[in-house]
Amino acid sequence: MSERADIIVIGAALNGLAAALALGGRAMRRPLRVTVVDARDPRASLTLDGRASAITASARRLFEALGVWRAMSPHAQAMREIIVTDAPAGAAARPALLHFGDKEMPGEPSAHMVENRHLNRALLDEVLASPAIRLALGQPVTAFKFAAGLAEITLADGTAHKASLIAAADGRNSPARHAAGIAMTGWDYGQSAIVATVTHDLPHNGCAEEHFTPSGPFAILPLPGNRSSLVWTEPTAEAARIMALPEAEFLGELRRRFGPHRGELNIEGDRHSYPLGLWIAKEMTASRLALLGDAAHVVHPIAGLGFNLGLRDIAALAESVHDAAGLGLDPGGEPVLERYSKWRRFDTISTAATMDALNRLFANDNEALRTVRGAGLMAVDRLAALKSIFMTEAAGQTGTLPKLMRGEPI
């Protein structure tokens, strides 16, 4: 049996669902026929699991244009203040080297924090409500064919799906990327990130904290209520040791690093750990294939921009595809793929390089470097123009933004 669509999206996690809506959602002017394929059911990601994402101002506008922000917003916590320190973990005093408050963030917040379960729910509900999108779940892809005319995949049950374009949002180990012969270049950091949600007695007042320690950044990111999301970086062996601890001992390690400023702490939901590295696909596209999100690039979570980079990919690909389709051109043809690749390549590499440089600068305990970087951050903190540049980057508003990232329909 063979089925036909305009676009096949591989992966039904956050990036895949967002891509399906940007290509075939009911908020689009001329929705394309989209089939979303995944061996797993996205409804399994709707439970509390301790994971959350930073949504930049431009990503929020994309979600507004896709028709999903209204469902997300009750679960979103605005970042009203950002504090950056450079001090040993658990230090009694952590002087702020960089501070962003009301003066630097007038009007809309630079970002919101939203738990992944709420992002998944809003995106999946809108996908299910979009007539041009269909789901093919529960069957892994067993074969890819990137032909000159149409791309084709075969599922484990023997069903074939054909389309003008495959949009691969199938993660850092992307089978679609491997099938197309696209290599990744990069390196491991020898670090792992521990991710969890905590409850605390005292309010955070919308304040996000980034504490740079010799082990790596320790980020405390505000969630609705007296709750925060943690991204805690340690050398890989140390992270494995901490993850293996019973909950009481894990909490002890956490409290020592977190500090006493928000009162009693407790873990809510599961804790997760994943290895960190910098990996970039040597090509963003191949014949009839476009890579999205982690399938195209994996960056350090030091500024929480990884998911937002994927959303920029989605917005750029959707605009390139819709523009071609509106002119009656092949939505998966070489001109579309070339436009997408050129649009995203520089932003991907520059962001990845910046995150890499920050991690290398701060993930050490060299006293001379500590003095230099402290002086540099304090200088930035005193210069309004430089702080404005930092906030523009944090809000995801640098470079040539696709229409969806500006909140404009396509």
Side-chain angles (χ1 to χ4, degrees), residues 149-175:
L150 290 175
E152 181 178 340
I153 61 170
T154 303
L155 304 185
D157 64 1
T159 303
H161 292 266
K162 297 181 180 181
S164 296
L165 177 67
I166 292 176
D170 49 352
R172 65 173 64 195
N173 297 315
S174 169

Side-chain angles (χ1 to χ4, degrees), residues 73 109 156 192 289 317 323 381-382:
S73 60
S192 291
L289 174 69
L317 179 65
D323 283 353
D381 197 48
R382 290 176 173 82

